[in-house]
Amino acid sequence: TCFGNQNVETRVLARSKASTYIVTDTPEAHSDQTISRSQGEAIARHQDAYIRQQSMVVIEGYIGADPKTRVAARLMVESRNANIAAMQQQLYFPVSDAERRNFRPTLQVIYTPNLKAPGYANDRVIAVDLQANVTRVLNSDYFGESKKGGLRMWNRLVYEQGGLPMHAGCKLIPVNGRPKVALIIGLSGTGKTTTTFTRQNASQPIQDDFIGVMPDGSVVVTENGCFAKTYGLNPDTEPMIYGAVSHPQAFLENVSQSEDGSVDFFDASYTHNGRATFPLSLLPEVGELVDIPKVDFILILNRNENIIPAVAKLDEAQGAAYFMLGETKGTSAGGAEVPL
């Protein structure tokens, strides 16, 4: 691109919910669609046989920054789709040379974007084995399957520890000389990243997408970078995100680009779900990623325009009820399977 970074056009434009299954022999224990363990094993054999004939890239890192709570993770992906590995590497926290000698992943995502899965919707399957902590992705080249593949399994680990995994941003906002911790909840594309990186009162972003609230009230982070939507990105209204996305280290996905390398963040002729990854180090300021104070308040973002008033302050009971209702409009991040 004109920024000196890479922009990849993918066949698949969003995560494939209709092709995602939990591997289990107890489907009654899950609210999502499932396949049996024998079906999961058949997918694994199909993919493993394919991988033996392919060149693969392996990326290792941690989900989480705190050595006490972080989780070791590994991504294996076809080298033909090395952009997925490069983008995921920006989100993992790094493994030191000393740690690498004894590194053993707790979570694994095995990713073959060019292998079809006959018999499944769109010849595509994402098989999530929460018992083995392995997610297998077949026939999707959209990076979001890598990111969500690891975080989905991480969610279960946090839940089993008594914590609450949350699809939420997190920021520190100075109030009367004391930093207050805000969580920003919302579906993909509702504005978590934008709200997190808006600098009210010299606030500091911490995370823009996924965090965990542990039983003692502390917050743990997941990612060392961001996977941001780029549609409508404007340097005047979102300078922090624009500066990072336009940096040579960023990776773009499905962003409109002319032959001369110029990009148009307002052109949605291919998709509204243009994306970019970038490391947190590209931001001018980020809050501490470990030893985060306890949560002071929660913001819930909603894109359903028929709800009035536009801004409401809720008490604890109202907030809990609203959160459980989950009323929000689907976005382009959900793909064609989620209504806008």
Side-chain angles (χ1 to χ4, degrees), residues 112-126:
T112 49
N114 304 294
L115 174 63
K116 291 185 177 181
Y120 294 92
N122 301 310
D123 289 333
R124 184 178 308 130
V125 68
I126 296 91

Side-chain angles (χ1 to χ4, degrees), residues 50-51 54 56 75 98 103 127 135 138 187 233 244 252 272 278:
Y50 175 81
I51 287 173
Q54 305 301 314
M56 306 292 289
L75 166 68
F103 187 86
T135 293
L138 285 71
L187 295 182
L233 187 58
L252 276 56
H272 278 85
F278 56 84

